[in-house]
Amino acid sequence: MAKTTIEWTDVTWNPTTGCDRISAGCDHCYALTLAKRLKAMGAFKYQNDGDPRTSGPGFGITTHPQTLLEPSTWKSPRTVFVNSMSDLFHAKVPISFVRDVFDVIADTPQHTYQVLTKRSLRMSKLAEKFDWPDNLWMGVSVEDSRVLPRIDHLRAVPAKVRFLSCEPLLGPLDFINLESIDWVIGGGESGPNYRPMDINWIRGLRDDCIKAGVPFFFKQWGGRTPKAFGRDLDGRAWDEMPLVKMVV
Ligand code: SF4
């Protein structure tokens, strides 16, 4: 478990590490850069190198069975972001290990788990192989309109809470269908090579959420060192959470 600066979760838990770039949202993958640094520091979870064309030093897909015991040792209930350094539904993660992760989630109902994937097709194809506990929130990344079909894959899985991470938002999401979606997170890209987010893209997404009655969490505008966390230019905050979170 690691403390995190991600605003909408408490801690991160990485039962797998490593990944490969799959779409435009991966171009400046923070995890890939961090894995390289962790490898150089000798961190044992980051010694497996990935394919240099799509991955990088320390970022080869690796399962960590020893981490499966961690959540049961956390005394107080937590909101847990699963695999900040990987993608649970990557093709190289064995089905049996995905099931192990789902079992840990089911066995620790005091915690709420957020799983986010860009491998939505594999997720939907494997969905029937697992039991989906109520404390598992399933999300897909939607950075531009080319990956809107990921939302259809998400709708096909029996998760109690389905959410979208539209970050970094790289284009307008016209014609987004928010039916059966419980939460949307949006934000711009940060870092030295950030791709600027048009104000109309994020406001359009916010307006679609309002129309559909879907809670919207605005993370930040993006930029080299973004500051305006969760606020529109007029100062209004957009930091809503799924309703289920408020009633449990
Ligand atoms: S799917 Fe996520 S972890 Fe994997 S390369 Fe893309 S941004 Fe990085």
Side-chain angles (χ1 to χ4, degrees):
M1 175 194 66
K3 288 270 182 202
T4 176
T5 55
I6 302 171
E7 293 84 350
W8 38 269
T9 199
D10 295 332
V11 294
T12 56
W13 173 51
N14 282 288
T16 74
T17 54
C19 200
D20 292 279
R21 289 186 290 271
I22 186 173
S23 61
C26 302
D27 285 359
H28 303 140
C29 174
Y30 166 83
L32 191 154
T33 307
L34 183 58
K36 184 177 175 186
R37 215 179 318 149
L38 290 168
K39 176 179 174 163
M41 290 163 59
F44 78 96
K45 286 173 84 174
Y46 300 92
Q47 295 306 312
N48 177 18
D49 290 343
D51 183 335
R53 293 165 301 178
T54 54
S55 182
F59 210 46
I61 280 278
T62 314
T63 58
H64 300 284
Q66 74 280 7
T67 64
L68 297 174
L69 300 172
E70 290 175 2
S72 62
T73 67
W74 306 333
K75 291 199 175 71
S76 54
R78 295 190 166 140
T79 302
V80 184
F81 184 56
V82 181
N83 277 352
S84 61
M85 296 295 291
S86 187
D87 188 331
L88 186 63
F89 289 98
H90 190 291
K92 289 184 183 162
V93 179
I95 295 172
S96 59
F97 195 78
V98 179
R99 185 176 294 112
D100 287 345
V101 171
F102 271 55
D103 287 348
V104 169
I105 293 173
D107 291 345
T108 51
Q110 69 274 30
H111 304 311
T112 299
Y113 293 84
Q114 300 160 326
V115 178
L116 180 65
T117 188
K118 287 186 175 70
R119 272 81 180 181
S120 55
L121 186 58
R122 186 172 190 235
M123 170 196 68
S124 64
K125 284 185 172 169
L126 296 183
E128 64 181 20
K129 295 184 182 296
F130 314 123
D131 292 327
W132 289 72
D134 284 354
N135 60 329
L136 165 57
W137 298 9
M138 189 67 231
V140 296
S141 303
V142 185
E143 65 264 31
D144 61 32
S145 59
R146 289 173 293 185
V147 293
L148 282 172
R150 288 177 185 161
I151 307 176
D152 294 323
H153 301 150
L154 180 62
R155 262 188 283 274
V157 304
K160 174 93 170 173
V161 173
R162 300 185 188 91
F163 70 98
L164 309 182
S165 172
C166 304
E167 189 201 16
L169 189 58
L170 301 177
L173 294 178
D174 300 336
F175 311 113
I176 191 170
N177 176 1
L178 294 173
E179 188 184 341
S180 302
I181 299 302
D182 302 292
W183 189 34
V184 172
I185 302 159
E189 188 166 48
S190 51
N193 300 312
Y194 76 93
R195 290 162 282 184
M197 178 179 68
D198 189 301
I199 190 169
N200 293 311
W201 302 342
I202 193 75
R203 283 185 172 165
L205 180 60
R206 176 203 61 189
D207 292 346
D208 285 339
C209 287
I210 292 171
K211 270 187 230 143
V214 176
F216 177 65
F217 189 105
F218 176 43
K219 202 165 149 199
Q220 37 98 354
W221 284 104
R224 201 182 169 85
T225 48
K227 290 198 185 79
F229 294 103
R231 290 185 183 278
D232 203 338
L233 292 181
D234 60 9
R236 269 178 301 170
W238 297 95
D239 53 2
E240 297 165 335
M241 297 292 286
L243 292 173
V244 65
K245 171 79 172 172
M246 296 179 215
V247 295
V248 288

